Amino acid sequence: MSTLARFAHTLRYELFENTPPDTKGRRLFFRGLELFIMGYAVYFCWTWGVYIQQNISSVLLPLGLANYIDVSFMFDHNVALINAVLVGVLGLVGFFRLWRPAYLLALLAFHLQYVARYSLGEISHGSNLIGMGVLGLGLALVVFQGERQRRRFTFGFLYFFIGLGYTSAAVCKLIGTGITWPDGRHLLMWIGERKVDTLSRFGSFDASMLQDLVFYDYHFGTLILLVGLLTEAVSFLMWWGKYRYLVVMLVVGMHFGILFSMNIFFQASTILLILLGLPWHRLIDYGLDRAPATVASS
């Protein structure tokens, strides 16, 4: 067996076979995670739909499907709001297992809403992990018959592509800027840009403790950026079970570092990472095991 084949075999085992026991806590946690992903997808679609109806009348920068179809039909007659309702209905159909292609069709409508919303030239990636979650759920529902296989696939799919995405982000930074990317003066410039945005929106700007440190000495900014870059670079280690929770929580810490240094918070992504980065199924199992004893003692 070649080295690449051994690596692929090991990766398959770590992502899809080396999983926690399929307890009631695991099953309940997965259903909660599923509900969170679809709930946030519907929330995004409603938010985008309201914005589309009020502010967009033409496509300035085509994204995704908008490069192949004219999405201007989404801008009038409340079509975007109807599309948001469609995502919600398909989400419910998929959640209750009434129709197996439902999640994939919800993903298509979700993407259509996204490209219609961001056709003005402003591109957001705050919803990307939610979109990947919907894709994972959709593939699991179509490809696998059993719920246990669907759970194993979805978790493995999420850990693989989240790890790949963050590590790719580190590689792109190094390709685009080189080893000088974690230069504190870059962070000084970005904080300055955010300061202008905050002042124009709210009329005041209060620097956080991290921002004060960077203003005091840009070398603190270099340290912050270096830690963030290294965190992204090692994110692929979440593919292996023994590193998974630690690496995912390091990524969560990086997001809070972005919040405190740049006032940028990717709420949906951070919450999803917290859900994937802690053994919530064990807490649920512990609570379920304790519940009968508590009732009996009372």
Side-chain angles (χ1 to χ4, degrees):
M1 184 182 293
S2 66
T3 302
L4 183 60
R6 285 197 299 270
F7 174 76
H9 177 77
T10 301
L11 195 58
R12 176 183 175 183
Y13 170 78
E14 290 289 342
L15 288 171
F16 303 110
E17 299 175 18
N18 185 24
T19 57
D22 196 43
T23 62
K24 188 173 183 179
R26 176 86 165 171
R27 295 191 291 271
L28 288 174
F29 170 63
F30 177 78
R31 294 296 274 171
L33 179 69
E34 190 175 353
L35 192 61
F36 168 81
I37 291 172
M38 290 310 305
Y40 237 113
V42 173
Y43 166 77
F44 278 129
C45 284
W46 272 106
T47 304
W48 298 335
V50 172
Y51 186 90
I52 290 167
Q53 296 302 308
Q54 295 177 352
N55 297 284
I56 302 180
S57 59
S58 61
V59 176
L60 299 180
L61 179 66
L63 300 172
L65 278 176
N67 286 290
Y68 307 100
I69 64 173
D70 183 4
V71 298
S72 60
F73 71 92
M74 297 283 292
F75 302 155
D76 299 306
H77 309 297
N78 293 318
V79 173
L81 296 179
I82 296 171
N83 191 54
V85 173
L86 178 63
V87 172
V89 171
L90 288 170
L92 289 173
V93 170
F95 184 80
F96 290 106
R97 307 296 188 259
L98 301 176
W99 190 40
R100 292 172 66 184
Y103 279 155
L104 289 181
L105 291 176
L107 177 66
L108 179 63
F110 179 85
H111 177 71
L112 185 63
Q113 196 88 333
Y114 176 89
V115 299
R117 162 63 180 88
Y118 292 104
S119 63
L120 292 177
E122 174 195 11
I123 302 175
S124 168
H125 52 271
S127 59
N128 286 6
L129 291 192
I130 296 298
M132 290 303 299
V134 178
L135 176 59
L137 292 170
L139 290 175
L141 197 57
V142 168
V143 175
F144 299 99
Q145 295 285 343
E147 287 296 322
R148 184 169 182 267
Q149 289 76 19
R150 289 167 181 165
R151 286 190 290 272
R152 290 169 59 183
F153 172 82
T154 303
F155 281 118
F157 177 91
L158 286 173
Y159 287 125
F160 177 79
F161 280 103
I162 290 173
L164 179 64
Y166 279 100
T167 298
S168 298
V171 173
C172 290
K173 290 178 175 65
L174 293 176
I175 292 175
T177 309
I179 60 173
T180 61
W181 184 87
D183 186 327
R185 285 167 289 200
H186 295 160
L187 185 55
L188 269 176
M189 177 186 68
W190 297 329
I191 293 174
E193 292 173 347
R194 292 297 298 174
K195 180 179 179 180
V196 172
D197 293 340
T198 304
L199 284 172
S200 64
R201 185 175 181 183
F202 301 107
S204 63
F205 174 81
D206 296 319
S208 67
M209 183 179 68
L210 275 180
Q211 289 171 334
D212 283 333
L213 284 173
V214 177
F215 288 142
Y216 175 74
D217 187 341
Y218 78 90
H219 290 98
F220 285 110
T222 300
L223 178 62
I224 293 169
L225 292 180
L226 183 60
V227 170
L229 182 64
L230 291 175
T231 299
E232 287 186 333
V234 302
S235 293
F236 72 95
L237 292 176
M238 70 177 69
W239 297 345
W240 283 267
K242 61 182 177 180
Y243 307 122
R244 184 163 296 152
Y245 291 150
L246 172 62
V247 174
V248 174
M249 293 312 294
L250 283 175
V251 177
V252 171
M254 181 191 72
H255 275 291
F256 279 106
I258 295 171
L259 170 63
F260 295 131
S261 61
M262 295 275 296
N263 290 332
I264 299 174
F265 187 46
F266 301 103
Q267 185 180 51
S269 300
T270 304
I271 297 174
L272 178 59
L273 286 167
I274 291 173
L275 290 175
L276 293 173
L278 292 172
W280 298 104
H281 60 282
R282 296 178 188 171
L283 294 177
I284 297 172
D285 281 326
Y286 177 78
L288 292 174
D289 291 339
R290 292 278 297 171
T294 303
V295 172
S297 62
S298 62

